[in-house]
């Protein structure tokens, strides 16, 4: 229940920030860092290593690396990191028109937090 309350507070705070501002960036970065540290410290159960698992890990790792490289490259190429740029769109820039209104921004934050929780809890 506490985790759900924290998620709703984060989503409300994030939805209330101006897109591409430093407060919005901090509200994204802090949960990512905290959850990443917790996920790396946890001892996962041993999963039997099979050829199918290896192929899946290779494919998903390649997709995550490619998406991350694109995101970082697009972000670094922007002239002003606090303003979206159509020449080098990040995922946030592409999603911003759909998330302009407060209820949709709040829902977007909840989806982002829920997807992150789903990924680390597996």
């Amino acid at each position: 229940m506490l985790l759900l309350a924290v998620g709703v507070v984060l989503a409300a705070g994030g939805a209330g920030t101006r897109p591409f501002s430093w407060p919005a960036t901090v509200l994204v970065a802090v949960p990512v860092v905290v959850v990443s540290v917790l996920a790396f410290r946890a001892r996962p159960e041993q999963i039997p290593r099979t050829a199918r698992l290896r192929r899946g890990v290779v494919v998903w790792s390649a997709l995550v690396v490619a998406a991350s490289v694109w995101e970082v490259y697009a972000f670094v190429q922007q002239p002003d990191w606090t303003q979206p740029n159509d020449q080098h769109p990040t995922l946030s820039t592409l999603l911003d028109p759909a998330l302009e209104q407060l209820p949709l921004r709040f829902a977007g934050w909840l989806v982002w937090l829920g997807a992150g929780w789903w990924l680390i809890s597996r």
Side-chain angles (χ1 to χ4, degrees), residues 22-61:
W22 287 110
T25 302
V26 169
L27 281 172
V28 169
V30 169
V32 167
V33 169
V34 168
V35 169
S36 296
V37 167
L38 293 175
F40 281 114
R41 291 183 65 202
R43 299 258 179 200
E45 63 183 64
Q46 290 295 342
I47 300 171
R49 296 171 189 238
T50 63
R52 182 177 179 199
L53 177 65
R54 280 191 290 280
R55 282 192 306 272
V57 167
V58 168
V59 168
W60 280 105
S61 297

Side-chain angles (χ1 to χ4, degrees), residues 83-103:
Q83 297 295 318
N85 185 324
D86 292 337
Q87 297 297 319
H88 301 284
T90 62
L91 184 59
S92 299
T93 304
L94 295 173
L95 288 175
D96 193 48
L99 301 174
E100 284 180 347
Q101 305 199 350
L102 185 63

Side-chain angles (χ1 to χ4, degrees), residues 3-4 21-22 26 31 35 44 52 59 63 68 74 79 90 113 117:
L3 190 60
L4 181 62
S21 65
W22 287 110
V26 169
V35 169
R52 182 177 179 199
V59 168
L63 289 171
S68 298
T90 62
L113 290 167
W117 177 252

